[in-house]
Every structure is written in structure tokens, then in C-alpha cells.
Amino acid sequence: MDFIHFIDKSKLNLVLKNGIKVTDCYRGKGILIYPNKEISFKTYSSEPELIKDEKLSNKLSIDKKWEKIGALGLRQNGKTVYGIKVEVPNSCWPLKVFINIQHQIAKEFGKLLDEIDASGIKYLTGETLTEVINRIKSPQFTLEGLFIINSENDLKEFIEIFQKAGGGIWSAHSFDCMIQSDISAKSVKEIIE
């Protein structure tokens, strides 16, 4: 599976020469990447404007969807955004997945994760997602979950289960993957303007 990393256009030549280096970012020390895989935008609101935005967002290409999620900070700072499509070598796994889990899908998502042999998908605290959700007292919540995913196949299964439970991406940083190793220049497969 390929991933997309977003950069300021002014950094492009440096990335092509030296690769993508681990830096301090919004999620800590690492490199934020997004799977080059379709995940639909999903609002849980009945507000007409949000439903309209969901429909428009779901017409975007995969890389433009992820740009909407992963490059917001760059765009807000007036930067020209480029996507760097990379192959993540096995040496960079496991990776972290930060994911917003809405109360509307949380129990089903936890149940589906419990039903599989998820040895390659672990909630950061070592608990199951169901155990974490059962401790939440509020009936309406957004849980910012953090999972450790061991392999590409585990990530594909995780995304499939998330979508089967009714999950989707919505706002900035609602689904971030992070690796904690540099990505070499030779792993760059494509530049997306």
C-alpha cells in the first residue's frame, strides 16, 4: 500500500534529495502519512450544509480527500501543498493510527475488532476498544483512539472494519497514520500537485 505525505512546495527539492525526515509534528515525533486507500467522508449530523459538504467531499479523488484531512495546517498558513506518494518500507512498521471514533459507531467498531484475530492491531493502552468504550459515561462522545498497527495487511483490515462499522473521515486529523522512521528518497513514487 502506498501512502501520501503532505509538504509545503518549498520543501520538495529537499525531500527528493534527502527523503522525508522524522520531525516534531502535531502528533509528536514522527512523519504523518495517509493511506492511499478510499475512506469515505462521513458526517453524523443532519445539518444540510454538512450533508452537502459530505457529498461534495466524497466526489474528490483519494489524494484530494486525504489532502483535505492532512494538509489543513499547511493551507491555513498560506502554503502551496504538494503530496508525496511513498512506499513505506517494512522497517517503518509498526505504525500508529490516530482515529476519531464517533459514539454512533463506537460499540459496533469495538465488537467487530473483538471478533477478529487482531494480534496485529492493538489499542495503545493494551485494552480492547470495547473495554475503553465501556468506561465512557457520556452517551455522546468522540473518542480519539490510538492504535498500533503491525503491518500493511493489518492496516487494510483495520480500515475495512472501521468502514463496516459505519466509520468515515471528517475533520482535520480524524485519521492520521504516523511512522517514527525516516523515509528515503528512493521510496518516493510520485509527486501530487
Side-chain angles (χ1 to χ4, degrees), residues 25-39:
C25 63
Y26 169 73
R27 297 289 190 186
K29 196 170 179 101
I31 300 171
L32 290 177
I33 55 177
Y34 301 87
N36 190 33
K37 185 164 177 49
E38 180 75 31
I39 300 179

Side-chain angles (χ1 to χ4, degrees), residues 152-171:
E152 182 178 314
N153 286 335
D154 293 325
L155 181 60
K156 287 177 183 175
E157 185 170 29
F158 181 79
I159 291 170
E160 183 180 307
I161 290 169
F162 176 62
Q163 292 183 105
K164 185 176 180 182
I169 56 178
W170 184 250
S171 58

Side-chain angles (χ1 to χ4, degrees), residues 45-53:
S45 172
S46 58
E47 292 182 37
E49 283 300 311
L50 294 177
I51 292 169
K52 180 181 176 185
D53 189 34

Side-chain angles (χ1 to χ4, degrees), residues 63-80:
D63 53 300
K64 289 299 179 189
K65 282 181 182 179
W66 286 116
E67 182 182 325
K68 188 171 180 174
I69 296 295
L72 181 63
L74 290 170
R75 284 195 316 274
Q76 286 175 334
N77 289 322
K79 306 292 184 184
T80 301

